[in-house]
Amino acid sequence: MRYALILASLLLVISACKSTEEFSGFSYDPPDVTDTTDKELIPQYERVIGAGSPKVWVSNEFEGARFNDFYMINDSLFEVYIKPENAPINNSPWFAFKVWSDTVRSAKIKINYQDATHRYVPKLHRPDSSGEVHLDDYESLDFKYDSTKSVAIIELELSKTPVLVSAQPLQTTKELTVELKKRDITGRDFVNMRKAGLSKQGREIIELEITEVDSGQTAPVLAIVGRQHPPEVTGYLASLFFLEELASESALARNFRNTFVVKAFPLVNPDGTDMGHWRHNAGGVDLNRDWKNFNQPETKVVRDALLWMKGHNKRIMFYAIDFHSTNENLFYPINEEVKTDPDNITQNWIKMIMKDNENIDFTVEEFDTSSPIAKNWFYHTFGIDAVTYEVDDQLQMNELEEVSRSAARSLMQLLLEEWKAKKP
Ligand SMILES: [Zn+2]
């Protein structure tokens, strides 16, 4: 009897481990995505290339840039090759290049995606005289694609002044501190910005703590992570609007900050972002498949900045959001049947978001907790509810702002109510 019980529990343990070990990726993942040991990168050579007569020039000599080759096809048609950092990889073909000409002329440019099909509407940015890049000044370009969608063709009016063509607004590590300052998030008494650790290539991973709670006082914690996948700029911008709302002067935000501690990591993959990667970090790995093995420095940094709160009596992990982007507004909650503490925050929150934004479509897809992603690490480590929050690639900036700010407000309201009900 006793042996049978031991055997039964052993089998249970083995099968429980097995189900996690065997998680091989979501349907949209390439094979072996959960093997998060370092993979080789295909280098992107930084250069300026000219072709044609008069010449058309392209450059990837800046952070966040991505193009791998450039050719002339005929007098008016040119081709830019876009390759990923390594393959196989998810379909997220990021591109960003500067283009100009020796004379004023128009040129058609084929954006040729290798290992991918078209996803991002090309954006144009004409820098002003200061050379600064402003988020609001990006215009979406008309484009055509071929039947395989592996090519998008744009037409540009060129001059000696370089213009930027990119898949989404360019938001590198340099822009993070600029945006945080511009949005009045940093530089306040209740916002503490620190370096949580370093990426594989030694870039800083920034942690923001937003709170007006005294260090000795017991408080629940809201964790925010984002930008594990470099091209997912709409999700990243949503997280910045979130932080702006959490740091605002509204009575709700002040009440929230007097009760909660916010720990935010808005840019978890700084190397991939500055290297113009499609998805991976400098180790060639999808960071959002590394939350079980922790083979990569970036996931380790975030884990270690939060793990001390496990079982802590003053800081109680309460809810977590992981921001991403895809081709729709999509929430991935933990299955409603899975008991978390507090329970079903996401399901209740989504109802509030939908009610506040009736003109926007949202999709909800619940998942079990077996995959090695950030959300599930929060659940397995702290027993809390958490969500993967995917923002539509094509959401207009004004809609993005409206949805993000209202979602931040409804979450603050909901979390305050939940904490009031559960407060020890
Ligand atoms: Zn993502």
Side-chain angles (χ1 to χ4, degrees):
M1 176 67 187
R2 211 174 144 199
Y3 283 117
L5 256 178
I6 291 168
L7 189 65
S9 44
L10 247 175
L11 278 173
L12 254 175
V13 168
I14 290 167
S15 64
C17 289
K18 251 183 137 184
S19 65
T20 324
E21 298 286 341
E22 279 177 359
F23 181 86
S24 57
F26 294 105
S27 57
Y28 49 83
D29 278 339
D32 296 328
V33 74
T34 54
D35 170 8
T36 56
T37 53
D38 284 13
K39 312 269 192 316
E40 208 174 323
L41 292 182
I42 304 161
Q44 171 187 211
Y45 298 105
E46 287 184 14
R47 52 198 173 146
V48 177
I49 305 178
S53 178
K55 272 205 163 84
V56 171
W57 300 92
V58 294
S59 163
N60 60 358
E61 292 182 328
F62 59 97
E63 284 180 348
R66 169 101 354 204
F67 88 80
N68 301 77
D69 225 329
F70 180 64
Y71 303 99
M72 183 185 81
I73 294 175
N74 61 43
D75 286 348
S76 60
L77 183 63
F78 297 81
E79 189 158 34
V80 164
Y81 274 91
I82 310 293
K83 295 178 189 176
E85 60 273 22
N86 57 8
I89 193 164
N90 303 62
N91 193 53
S92 188
W94 172 260
F95 53 89
F97 53 87
K98 286 177 184 164
V99 53
W100 68 96
S101 172
D102 288 339
T103 57
V104 174
R105 60 165 296 170
S106 67
K108 283 185 183 164
I109 296 177
K110 256 188 184 183
I111 302 172
N112 193 331
Y113 310 107
Q114 188 178 307
D115 294 309
T117 55
H118 174 78
R119 170 164 167 183
Y120 299 106
V121 174
K123 317 282 188 302
L124 177 70
H125 188 276
R126 296 181 188 278
D128 63 20
S129 53
S130 71
E132 279 178 33
V133 175
H134 297 287
L135 204 47
D136 300 330
D137 298 344
Y138 282 85
E139 86 183 71
S140 293
L141 289 168
D142 289 333
F143 66 95
K144 294 190 182 101
Y145 49 65
D146 65 11
S147 58
T148 64
K149 290 193 180 181
S150 63
V151 161
I153 301 169
I154 55 173
E155 188 163 3
L156 298 171
E157 293 303 321
L158 299 174
S159 71
K160 281 184 175 170
T161 310
V163 294
L164 172 70
V165 175
S166 59
Q168 291 287 23
L170 191 66
Q171 287 287 303
T172 63
T173 52
K174 197 177 69 194
E175 274 92 31
L176 174 58
T177 39
V178 175
E179 284 296 322
L180 290 173
K181 204 170 162 206
K182 207 161 70 186
R183 291 160 188 268
D184 243 354
I185 298 166
T186 43
R188 288 168 173 270
D189 295 346
F190 50 78
V191 179
N192 178 28
M193 185 162 89
R194 70 170 196 110
K195 179 181 83 182
L198 297 177
S199 67
K200 197 174 192 66
Q201 293 196 341
R203 289 183 179 86
E204 292 185 0
I205 297 168
I206 299 293
E207 175 186 343
L208 292 155
E209 186 184 76
I210 305 176
T211 190
E212 294 188 62
V213 168
D214 292 333
S215 54
Q217 187 188 321
T218 299
V221 176
L222 165 64
I224 294 174
V225 297
R227 204 82 186 275
Q228 297 192 72
H229 300 145
E232 299 182 4
V233 174
T234 55
Y236 169 72
L237 294 175
S239 79
L240 297 186
F241 283 121
F242 245 75
L243 294 175
E244 213 177 317
E245 203 59 41
L246 297 172
S248 83
E249 287 302 334
S250 73
L252 174 63
R254 277 206 298 270
N255 187 8
F256 190 75
R257 289 195 301 270
N258 278 303
T259 314
F260 273 78
V261 175
V262 180
K263 297 266 189 192
F265 306 83
L267 215 174
V268 175
N269 188 356
D271 292 347
T273 297
D274 284 0
M275 293 166 86
H277 282 187
W278 290 16
R279 190 167 178 98
H280 301 156
N281 72 339
V285 165
D286 184 340
L287 292 178
N288 205 27
R289 302 293 179 268
D290 189 39
W291 290 81
K292 182 170 171 280
N293 292 321
F294 292 97
N295 285 320
Q296 298 301 319
E298 294 84 0
T299 40
K300 273 184 211 156
V301 164
V302 179
R303 176 196 64 185
D304 295 346
L306 297 172
L307 195 57
W308 62 272
M309 286 182 271
K310 185 177 172 160
H312 200 273
N313 61 348
K314 297 282 187 218
R315 291 290 174 267
I316 298 156
M317 191 58 80
F318 206 69
Y319 189 63
I321 312 168
D322 180 20
F323 282 96
H324 290 258
S325 304
T326 189
N327 59 358
E328 57 181 328
N329 295 299
L330 174 60
F331 293 98
Y332 290 121
I334 292 174
N335 269 338
E336 199 163 346
E337 294 73 35
V338 175
K339 186 96 185 95
T340 60
D341 184 22
D343 204 15
N344 295 335
I345 295 273
T346 307
Q347 282 81 0
N348 293 328
W349 181 32
I350 291 169
K351 281 180 210 148
M352 297 167 88
I353 296 172
M354 285 178 167
K355 194 166 161 262
D356 292 342
N357 299 278
E358 282 171 337
N359 53 331
I360 308 276
D361 292 326
F362 297 95
T363 308
V364 182
E365 265 181 59
E366 294 192 341
F367 267 100
D368 70 19
T369 59
S370 62
S371 59
I373 63 174
K375 172 186 75 181
N376 291 336
W377 177 77
F378 281 100
Y379 164 69
H380 289 294
T381 307
F382 302 102
I384 60 167
D385 194 9
V387 68
T388 310
Y389 184 144
E390 302 262 5
V391 179
D392 189 345
D393 289 332
Q394 293 192 47
L395 200 59
Q396 296 304 304
M397 201 60 78
N398 59 331
E399 293 175 321
L400 196 153
E401 173 167 3
E402 222 171 286
V403 176
S404 311
R405 285 184 185 278
S406 79
R409 288 192 294 266
S410 54
L411 184 67
M412 286 192 276
Q413 194 191 323
L414 181 64
L415 291 182
L416 281 167
E417 284 164 13
E418 286 283 335
W419 175 245
K420 210 172 156 190
K422 281 184 193 299
K423 203 170 166 178

